[in-house]
């Protein structure tokens, strides 16, 4: 038994950080793999005039930027895994499915909201459908989807949190 395990109170609630970090990272992977690579609707900097997807140099720049984006997604996912391991070593109880999956969905939605507001609207480095000339309706739909993921994920997480309180023999607050 490690020092962290012996000094931790038994049965502490699971950490929320691991689920949120996993959601942020996996949301990035879904975006990068599905929208960037499979559907090829956009790349990381496909709306930047100096990196058009129609030239070899522009495509190389976009591919590099996509790779950096995937590294960031990978690091967020790794941070989520490491945070879960640290929490378990501290003696925290394992999360229920609804507790953890709810946080993953909320984290994915948070990724979509930040991506949609910062990259699509504020910086304008790309839009959901750069292949169609960046219609605003796709960007708005992306933001609505992100908001729904956050709301549904948080409700699912709260259900799991309540269930964990019942398992521990006492109700948990809001």
């Amino acid at each position: 038994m490690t020092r962290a395990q012996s000094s931790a109170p038994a049965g502490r609630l699971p950490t929320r950080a691991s689920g949120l970090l996993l959601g942020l990272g996996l949301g990035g992977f879904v975006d990068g793999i599905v929208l960037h690579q499979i559907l090829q609707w956009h790349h990381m900097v496909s709306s930047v005039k100096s990196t058009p997807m129609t030239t070899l140099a522009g495509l190389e720049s976009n591919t590099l930027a996509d790779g950096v984006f995937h590294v960031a997604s990978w690091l967020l996912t790794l941070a989520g895994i490491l945070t879960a391991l640290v929490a378990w070593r501290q003696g925290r109880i394992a999360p229920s499915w609804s507790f953890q999956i709810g946080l993953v969905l909320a984290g994915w939605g948070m990724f979509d909201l930040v991506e949609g507001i910062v990259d699509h609207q504020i910086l304008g480095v790309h839009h959901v459908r750069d292949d169609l000339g960046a219609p605003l309706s796709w960007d708005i739909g992306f933001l609505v989807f992100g908001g729904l993921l956050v709301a549904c994920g948080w409700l699912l997480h709260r259900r799991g949190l309540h269930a964990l309180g019942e398992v521990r023999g006492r109700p948990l607050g809001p």
Side-chain angles (χ1 to χ4, degrees):
M1 183 179 291
T2 67
R3 184 172 185 222
Q5 287 173 316
S6 63
S7 64
R12 286 174 49 202
L13 284 175
T15 180
R16 287 185 172 112
S18 66
L20 290 172
L21 286 166
L22 286 168
L24 288 166
L26 295 173
F29 277 130
V30 168
D31 182 272
I33 292 167
V34 175
L35 300 180
H36 296 211
Q37 294 175 322
I38 295 173
L39 298 175
Q40 298 179 20
W41 285 355
H42 68 261
H43 293 283
M44 236 7 251
V45 289
S46 54
S47 285
V48 176
K49 290 185 195 259
S50 63
T51 59
M53 293 188 305
T54 56
T55 67
L56 181 58
L59 189 55
E60 287 173 343
S61 296
N62 275 285
T63 302
L64 175 63
D66 287 351
V68 172
F69 172 73
H70 280 107
V71 168
S73 297
W74 186 86
L75 290 171
L76 284 167
T77 304
L78 178 63
I81 293 167
L82 294 176
T83 303
L85 291 173
V86 167
W88 297 335
R89 290 184 56 86
Q90 291 172 342
R92 293 176 181 257
I93 60 175
S96 65
W97 282 98
S98 57
F99 181 99
Q100 191 74 353
I101 297 301
L103 289 171
V104 170
L105 290 174
W108 177 6
M110 290 165 53
F111 167 84
D112 284 359
L113 291 173
V114 170
E115 163 87 357
I117 292 168
V118 174
D119 289 343
H120 302 173
Q121 302 308 313
I122 295 172
L123 298 177
V125 294
H126 69 264
H127 298 276
V128 174
R129 293 295 304 264
D130 277 343
D131 65 328
L132 297 178
L136 183 61
S137 59
W138 283 91
D139 287 351
I140 292 170
F142 189 80
L143 290 169
V144 169
F145 180 67
L148 287 172
L149 282 171
V150 170
C152 293
W154 192 253
L155 289 172
L156 185 60
H157 165 70
R158 298 287 298 153
R159 188 176 93 186
L161 183 62
H162 180 71
L164 285 173
E166 289 176 1
V167 168
R168 294 179 55 183
R170 58 187 172 99
L172 298 173

